[in-house]
């Protein structure tokens, strides 16, 4: 609840797996890893790349807000949670996660 009552912006630590909303200038910002298309981990790895390669920090603004407009569920999200294909897609995504993490740790910039 600190964000609700604050009058001054403040920095926060990234929590692995968290997908914060970010407002950044598009020109010059790190691009998404093209291997993550559709549903799953794309935003997480993008945030990690912004922080690791572009040296971004995360902060909470005290004088603005944004809102999320609900949208229909994507085809990829439906596939991710569908019982009949869940294991195949989930295993593929877990493998991609391991590969991307390995590249990340080695300092490979794949965007």
């Amino acid at each position: 609840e600190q964000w609700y009552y604050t009058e001054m912006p403040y920095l926060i630590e990234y929590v692995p797996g968290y997908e914060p909303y970010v407002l950044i200038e598009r020109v010059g910002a790190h691009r998404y890893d093209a291997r993550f298309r559709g549903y799953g981990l794309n935003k997480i790895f993008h945030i990690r790349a912004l922080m690791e390669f572009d040296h971004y920090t995360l902060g909470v603004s005290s004088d603005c807000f944004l809102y999320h407009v609900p949208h229909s569920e994507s085809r990829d999200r439906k596939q991710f949670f569908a019982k009949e294909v869940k294991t195949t897609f989930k295993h593929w995504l877990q493998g991609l996660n391991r590969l991307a993490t390995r590249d990340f740790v080695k300092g490979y910039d794949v965007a």
Side-chain angles (χ1 to χ4, degrees):
E1 294 183 0
Q2 178 183 358
W3 64 269
Y4 188 77
Y5 297 104
T6 190
E7 293 183 13
M8 296 294 295
Y10 60 92
L11 296 178
I12 57 172
E13 293 291 322
Y14 177 72
V15 175
Y18 181 61
E19 296 182 350
Y21 287 102
V22 295
L23 298 173
I24 58 175
E25 199 170 326
R26 193 174 81 188
V27 175
H30 205 85
R31 298 179 62 171
Y32 272 85
D33 184 332
R35 297 175 292 184
F36 291 98
R37 291 185 11 215
Y39 182 82
L41 299 176
N42 55 347
K43 288 181 251 172
I44 291 171
F45 271 89
H46 186 233
I47 294 296
R48 288 179 65 188
L50 288 171
M51 293 173 61
E52 178 72 22
F53 298 122
D54 296 339
H55 309 290
Y56 277 69
T57 56
L58 298 176
V60 176
S61 176
S62 60
D63 62 354
C64 66
F65 67 93
L66 63 92
Y67 60 93
H68 173 72
V69 177
H71 54 80
S72 60
E73 187 176 42
S74 71
R75 176 185 51 104
D76 291 320
R77 186 177 193 286
K78 287 177 186 174
Q79 181 183 3
F80 184 79
F81 288 105
K83 288 186 178 186
E84 61 275 4
V85 293
K86 185 174 183 178
T87 56
T88 302
F89 186 69
K90 199 158 201 160
H91 284 128
W92 175 83
L93 192 58
Q94 287 170 341
L96 179 56
N97 181 26
R98 285 191 298 274
L99 176 66
T101 299
R102 182 203 66 192
D103 291 347
F104 207 83
V105 168
K106 290 183 177 183
Y108 298 154
D109 183 359
V110 296

